Amino acid sequence: MKFQKIPLFIFLLLALSCSENDDPNGDSNPENKFYRGMDLSFQSELESYNVDYKDANGNSVELLDFVESKGTNLIRLKLWHTPQDGENSLEDVKAYALKVKSKNMDFLLNFHYSDYWADPGTQNPPAAWQNMTLDQVKSAIYDYTKNVIAQLNAQNTLPEIIQIGNETDSGFLWDYGKVWNEFSNNWVNYADLVSEAIRAVRAIDTENKVSIMLHHSSVENAIFFFNELQVYNLNFDIIGLSYYPQFQIRDLNLVTSKLNELASTFDKDILMVEVAYPFTLQWNDNQTNYIGSLDQTLSEFSPTPQGQKAYLEWLITTIKNIPNNKGIGFCYWAPDWVAFNGNESTSTNGTSWENQCLFDFNLKALPATYVFNYN
């Protein structure tokens, strides 16, 4: 591409009016990048349904092109070991990672270290690891992680961020790395397993280009978790947090103070890696939604398209105001998980999320999609 010479006075005006965050793909200094992300882990499955996503004017769009044009600069993809029910396999992740990189967006890889969904209440090891000794599991997590990263690196899709486990409040790979209930004194084993995963990443990422993230499901309880880990000196870079108002505190001043306390206590970057908010309390298929009543929402933000947009604007401002520039962005969870099989979808092939998507029931982009260019 050839660039025309810009007169000096125009260049100076542009420089004064723009910031590094105006570029939806970030800037040349990753440390200053503010992530405006989306978790598109469902796309490997949804693409087979030929979902007709549309812009706000009702024009059909290709999803990845559209979200990139609106300012999205990070795509998160979940990975399961041996998927049981259509979740992402390594081949799925590799294929979609190529698409992400072709759009010059960054890539966040979320290891579940399970064959099915992992969260604070369920952290089952892959079936292939369940009869192993602790030492064997340590070897398995190292070998598996290294193989995944090696394959991604070989196709030039090395992630910018790698998440070691999903919402690991209670540890992971139960009971080997469980730190909950009767295993509350098991932090050393959890830390050892995390260390093996990190060591595997660094075996491939020898230049330390990848940032390592640990993920906790709640803003208010994360301080305890990371305090427990401090003694083990784990080599990670980012505190990843989920914030879903229906499950957590709804006092926004307390949310802000907890985020600020995390930043000042642990001197780590903070990424709000799972966030969402409803644009309606209605539904568009026959599966029960996670949010369906007003008492599950925030009083400050109505469950309307404008309320969803206002919530996201508040969230971005809050993250950007975390002390010492430690707030590095957010990732909207499943903005694309619409009623993909029509409004007669059942509990087995529907979605529990369509009223928290960033596309309405006519699959038109909602006002919140325009907040991704927020500066």
Side-chain angles (χ1 to χ4, degrees):
M1 179 183 294
K2 294 183 178 179
F3 295 90
Q4 292 182 335
K5 197 169 184 179
I6 302 175
L8 179 60
F9 77 94
I10 295 178
F11 176 80
L12 291 173
L13 285 174
L14 290 171
L16 288 170
S17 63
C18 297
S19 72
E20 69 274 9
N21 288 328
D22 290 331
D23 176 6
N25 295 320
D27 65 283
S28 59
N29 181 0
E31 292 183 358
N32 290 333
K33 181 176 290 186
F34 186 83
Y35 280 121
R36 301 174 286 267
M38 293 186 179
D39 188 315
L40 297 182
S41 297
F42 285 106
Q43 271 304 295
S44 294
E45 179 181 358
L46 290 175
E47 283 184 335
S48 66
Y49 286 86
N50 297 313
V51 179
D52 186 18
Y53 298 102
K54 301 177 178 69
D55 65 18
N57 296 318
N59 301 308
S60 296
V61 296
E62 195 283 323
L63 180 68
L64 208 54
D65 283 338
F66 176 73
V67 301
E68 187 273 336
S69 74
K70 292 303 172 192
T72 303
N73 59 4
L74 176 71
I75 299 297
R76 181 184 190 232
L77 298 176
K78 295 177 176 289
L79 172 64
W80 286 266
H81 184 276
T82 307
Q84 296 179 351
D85 191 26
E87 293 83 18
N88 281 350
S89 67
L90 178 54
E91 292 307 310
D92 292 327
V93 167
K94 287 169 62 179
Y96 208 76
L98 286 169
K99 297 179 182 181
V100 171
K101 292 288 189 174
S102 74
K103 308 298 181 185
N104 296 315
M105 289 188 280
D106 284 0
F107 167 32
L108 191 167
L109 177 64
N110 174 200
F111 278 99
H112 267 239
Y113 294 114
S114 180
D115 295 336
Y116 198 63
W117 293 85
D119 55 44
T122 308
Q123 294 283 346
N124 295 323
W129 301 2
Q130 288 184 5
N131 294 317
M132 292 181 174
T133 65
L134 177 61
D135 285 341
Q136 288 172 331
V137 172
K138 289 179 184 178
S139 295
I141 197 172
Y142 176 87
D143 292 342
Y144 168 65
T145 304
K146 184 178 179 182
N147 175 60
V148 168
I149 304 307
Q151 290 195 42
L152 289 168
N153 189 51
Q155 66 171 22
N156 296 315
T157 58
L158 187 69
E160 279 69 29
I161 303 173
I162 292 177
Q163 179 180 323
I164 307 298
N166 191 72
E167 295 187 331
T168 58
D169 315 14
S170 52
F172 66 174
L173 296 168
W174 290 355
D175 290 332
Y176 306 103
K178 189 175 184 179
V179 292
W180 187 37
N181 287 345
E182 71 274 27
F183 290 88
S184 59
N185 294 320
N186 199 36
W187 288 92
V188 63
N189 288 337
Y190 170 69
D192 283 349
L193 289 164
V194 171
S195 293
E196 286 302 293
I198 295 172
R199 189 169 70 89
V201 173
R202 298 304 181 207
I204 305 300
D205 172 39
T206 56
E207 297 180 11
N208 286 351
K209 294 180 179 179
V210 175
S211 294
I212 301 293
M213 181 170 70
L214 301 185
H215 181 200
H216 195 280
S217 76
S218 87
V219 172
E220 66 268 33
N221 296 320
I223 291 174
F224 168 80
F225 177 83
F226 289 101
N227 263 330
E228 290 293 321
L229 289 179
Q230 274 197 305
V231 67
Y232 303 105
N233 296 313
L234 293 175
N235 182 22
F236 73 101
D237 309 287
I238 301 172
I239 290 174
L241 298 170
S242 300
Y243 181 58
Y244 298 115
Q246 68 267 37
F247 300 130
Q248 295 188 40
I249 51 175
R250 295 175 202 154
D251 180 337
L252 299 186
N253 290 327
L254 187 55
V255 171
T256 299
S257 68
K258 288 293 185 182
L259 289 173
N260 295 348
E261 185 179 354
L262 274 166
S264 60
T265 302
F266 301 105
D267 194 30
K268 301 286 185 183
D269 288 337
I270 295 175
L271 181 63
M272 302 296 288
V273 74
E274 289 190 24
V275 300
Y277 201 75
F279 66 89
T280 180
L281 296 179
Q282 299 302 307
W283 55 92
N284 195 34
D285 64 14
N286 291 331
Q287 182 161 339
T288 302
N289 290 338
Y290 284 102
I291 289 184
S293 63
L294 196 61
D295 62 5
Q296 293 177 292
T297 64
L298 296 163
S299 60
E300 293 86 348
F301 306 111
S302 61
T304 63
Q306 288 304 318
Q308 183 190 55
K309 177 176 180 285
Y311 165 78
L312 201 52
E313 289 172 333
W314 164 81
L315 182 73
I316 293 172
T317 299
T318 299
I319 296 169
K320 283 182 170 252
N321 285 333
I322 292 174
N324 303 317
N325 295 315
K326 290 300 182 182
I328 63 170
F330 69 96
C331 192
Y332 199 99
W333 198 81
D336 57 327
W337 194 21
V338 296
F340 57 90
N341 203 22
N343 58 15
E344 297 303 317
S345 297
T346 66
S347 61
T348 57
N349 66 352
T351 170
S352 55
W353 202 256
E354 75 268 22
N355 66 332
Q356 295 192 73
C357 290
L358 294 181
F359 297 86
D360 67 18
F361 293 169
N362 294 314
L363 305 187
K364 290 171 61 175
L366 288 158
T369 58
Y370 292 84
V371 179
F372 281 70
N373 269 321
Y374 181 97
N375 296 311

